[in-house]
Structures are given as C-alpha cells and as structure tokens.
Amino acid sequence: MKRVLQRTPVGVARTAVLIAAARANEQGRLRRLFDDPLAAGLVEAAGSASDLNGVRTLAGDHFVLRTRYFDDELLGTPQPQVVIMAAGLDTRAFRLQWPPGTTLFELDLPELVEFKEDALRDQLAQPACERVVVPCDLRDDWATALIGAGFDPKRPTAWLLEGLFMFLPPDAGEQVLYWVSALSARGSTLALEHVNRAFRELPQMKPVHQRFDALDARWLSDVEDPVEWLDGYGWHATVTHQVDLAARHDRAVPAITDPRKVGDARIWLASAVRTA
Ligand SMILES: C[S@@+](CC[C@H](N)C(=O)[O-])C[C@H]1O[C@@H](n2cnc3c(N)ncnc32)[C@H](O)[C@@H]1O
C-alpha cells in the first residue's frame, strides 16, 4: 500500500494529477499507446483524482493521444537537451528510451516538484537519462533558474509545452515563448499544445471551466493560429489534427476534438523547428 503524501498538489498543480490519471488508466489497456508504469503510484500518492473524473470522461482519449504525439515528437528528432515546461507528473524521463548523453530538465511550480520527487522516491523510480528538476514559476524569471541548473543555450534543445499555455495570462505566455526562442540554438525543436477561442467557449467545456475555476486553475488564454504565432518567434511549425492522430493509432476521434461535433473549435498540437 503506497502512502498518500501530506502535500498533495492543489490549485493549478492539481490538473497534473488529472493527466497522470488518464495515463494510469491507459496503462491498464491491452493495446496501449505508451507505457507509464509510474502514473498510478503518482495518482495514488495524491489521494486519487476522482474529483476530476468528469473532465477526464469529457476528454476521452485526448490526453493519451497527445501523450503519444509528444512522445513521438521528442524521440523523432533526438536532441542533447530536453526541456519539459510545466512537467507536472510527466514521467518521460523514466519511461522513454533516451539516447546516451541526454539531459532532461523538468520545470514546474515548487510545491508540485516537491510532491513529485517524494512520490517518485517512494516508487524507487530510476531515470533513463540525466534528469534535472527546476522548481520555478513560469510567470517569473525561469530562464535564469534553468541556466543555473546547467542548461546550455548553445546546444540544440527539444522543448515541450504540453497543457500549459491556457493556464498562463496572455503576456506571460508570450514571455515564455520569447525566452524559449531566445534560448534555442539553431536546429532546436518545440512541441506545444494550446487551444483557440472557439474551444474555450464550447458549451461542452462549461463544466470543465467551472471545475477548474473552483481549483483556481482558470484558463486565461488562447491562440487562433499557432503556425503564425510560432513563425513570429522564428519557428517553422506544423499542426497535427486529432482526426489524423486518432486514425494513426486506430482510436476513435475524441468527441471534444471531432470537427463534426465541435466545428472550428481546436485543441492545437503543434511541432516546430527553429529556423532563425
Ligand atoms: C494540465 S497540467 C499538465 C502537466 C504535464 N505537462 C502533463 O501534460 O502531464 C498543468 C501543469 O502546469 C503547471 N503550471 C501551471 N502554471 C504554472 C506556472 N505559472 N509555473 C509553473 N508551472 C505551472 C501546473 O503545476 C501543472 O503541473
């Protein structure tokens, strides 16, 4: 029996438990999209995520399809440095096969990082790369903390920004992208998730917003054209539609991302290469 840790994530950090619960659930499936044997223990240490079950049901396979999409992006163009922004309870440092010499940085709020490190220690988890955790608030000067932790801006980097931007105020999101770009040597890659305004305003999303607002994890931003947005910071981006992603993995399109049900509302999954 694993122990429930005293300091379980609260506020926006609690949304990380929701995503880990989706990955733990996937672990029980026969033809799963990835292996995440640590996820269930992380959720258990947080004392479950059943308060967020409604959100997970609405998302369908979206969270696990996006996990697989970003796994493939990160391993498809291996880089000596990987930076996972707002890593939450992401266990890619442990569960993916990284080329030797990979250093992976995980950034998230100090309280979430503290909880995660305790919970991983309880599971005797061993990373498959050099793993460096950087507790910080991404609305502040995280770049100095990252460099202080050993990040080298002269080396190419793979950046991951999954499940983050919607929680940041627009100006903080711009600052994050500005600094990610400023720290990216030529050849660096970036993968992100964001949503457009129509998605934020979907009637189906109302109970999700109510749940997140109650957690003090309100969605604060959106983007209409992620390719243009990234281009403005010197990245060449492409977007993958969930219809194609689901077909690639022989899964039904999650209703929340099915154009026949949500029209132009989009959860963007974008991947980019540094061109400037
Ligand atoms: C929906 S979870 C996504 C976690 C992870 N990327 C995943 O997909 O499993 C959102 C994460 O963003 C983090 N986060 C939100 N605002 C943040 C901020 N200002 N600074 C650092 N982390 C933040 C939360 O703590 C949480 O771990």
Side-chain angles (χ1 to χ4, degrees), residues 12-13 15-16 19 23 66 86-88 108-109 136-139 162-163:
V12 72
T15 62
I19 313 298
R23 291 193 289 257
R66 100 179 182 196
D108 208 296
L109 294 167
C136 59
D137 189 324
L138 292 168
R139 293 166 297 187
E162 178 184 23

Side-chain angles (χ1 to χ4, degrees), residues 202-221:
L202 272 179
Q204 298 94 305
M205 285 297 288
K206 211 166 168 193
V208 175
H209 293 311
Q210 282 167 346
R211 195 73 207 89
F212 283 2
D213 287 358
L215 283 180
D216 199 16
R218 188 178 293 256
W219 280 16
L220 299 169
S221 65

Side-chain angles (χ1 to χ4, degrees), residues 109 136-144 172 175-176 179:
L109 294 167
C136 59
D137 189 324
L138 292 168
R139 293 166 297 187
D140 297 336
D141 179 14
W142 56 269
T144 300
Q175 278 295 305
V176 163
W179 279 108

